């Protein structure tokens, strides 16, 4: 497995307690995001390094850069149809393009648009943004918000055919960590991702990182 791991307890001091933040594993060239699928789709993608069998380009697909947020949604890989967890390494330029093109699923005045403008942009956009409560390993919500991005249309085509560098099946790792105590739990090493400056207002981030990046 190519993911860089770190004890969950050691990562907590590096994570903000509140606010909207993108936690991710990243380096200067790439960002890791997660998806879960039924075996038909997930196993094919991991084996071929791209999506094929059972994958639909006509539907919106959601990605999450935060590992524990993905684990909450999939029940640590135990929910039906979500048995295969994929770690997808994206080109960082592609991930930044998603952030710059994202429109929130709900209207917020912070992005400078009135409701009519937001509805127009939401309908036209191929990237949808949601901020949801982040969760600890047990599934309990925390005050910090986690991001997920929905992709469709032309952007989904670019996501699959241009921006994916590698796809890895990490289901065995997920199963091994599922019942571990917090004191010994390992999770992918994540830090606050420095989103592009011109996307901060639209994203509604409360305290974006200012550094270029960290090795992950």
């Amino acid at each position: 497995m190519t993911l860089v791991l770190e004890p969950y307890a050691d990562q907590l001091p590096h994570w903000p307690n509140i606010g909207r933040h993108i936690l991710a594993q990243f380096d200067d060239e790439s960002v890791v995001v997660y998806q879960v699928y039924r075996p038909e789709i997930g196993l094919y993608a991991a084996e071929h390094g791209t999506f094929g069998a059972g994958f639909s380009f006509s539907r919106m697909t959601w990605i999450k850069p935060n590992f524990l947020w993905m684990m909450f949604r999939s029940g640590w890989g135990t929910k039906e149809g979500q048995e295969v967890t994929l770690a997808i390494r994206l080109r960082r330029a592609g991930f930044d393009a998603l952030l710059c093109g994202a429109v929130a699923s709900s209207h917020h005045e912070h992005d400078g648009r009135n409701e009519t403008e937001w509805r127009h942009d939401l309908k036209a956009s191929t990237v949808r943004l949601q901020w949801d409560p982040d969760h600890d390993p047990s599934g309990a919500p925390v005050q910090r918000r986690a991001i997920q991005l929905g992709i469709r249309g032309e952007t989904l085509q670019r996501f699959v055919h241009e921006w994916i560098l590698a796809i890895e099946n990490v289901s065995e790792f997920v199963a091994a960590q599922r019942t571990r105590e917090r004191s010994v739990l390992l999770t992918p090493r994540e830090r606050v991702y420095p989103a592009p400056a011109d996307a901060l207002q639209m994203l509604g981030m409360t305290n974006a990182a200012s550094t270029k990046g960290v090795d992950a």
Side-chain angles (χ1 to χ4, degrees), residues 174-196:
V174 168
Q177 301 301 313
R178 186 182 296 143
T179 59
R180 298 191 79 179
E181 297 292 333
R182 293 190 192 190
S183 59
V184 293
L185 176 68
L186 291 175
T187 59
R189 182 180 187 267
E190 296 178 351
R191 297 294 186 266
V192 176
Y193 183 79

Side-chain angles (χ1 to χ4, degrees), residues 4 8 39 49:
V4 178
Y8 166 74

Side-chain angles (χ1 to χ4, degrees), residues 127-139:
V127 186
R128 188 163 296 183
L129 159 72
Q130 287 186 191
W131 289 103
D132 301 285
D134 204 348
H135 292 74
D136 70 15
S138 71

Side-chain angles (χ1 to χ4, degrees), residues 14 56 87 104 114 117 121 137 144 175 177 181 210:
H14 299 281
S56 174
N114 61 40
E117 293 170 330
D121 291 347
R144 182 181 60 249
Q177 301 301 313
E181 297 292 333
S210 59

Side-chain angles (χ1 to χ4, degrees), residues 60 101-104 120-129 150 152 155:
M60 179 170 283
V103 177
H120 175 271
D121 291 347
L122 181 66
K123 184 177 181 180
S125 176
T126 56
V127 186
R128 188 163 296 183
L129 159 72
R152 65 180 180 178
T155 302

Side-chain angles (χ1 to χ4, degrees), residues 99-114:
L99 296 178
C100 290
V103 177
S105 294
S106 301
H107 178 243
H108 299 284
E109 294 182 355
H110 61 68
D111 68 10
R113 289 176 286 201
N114 61 40

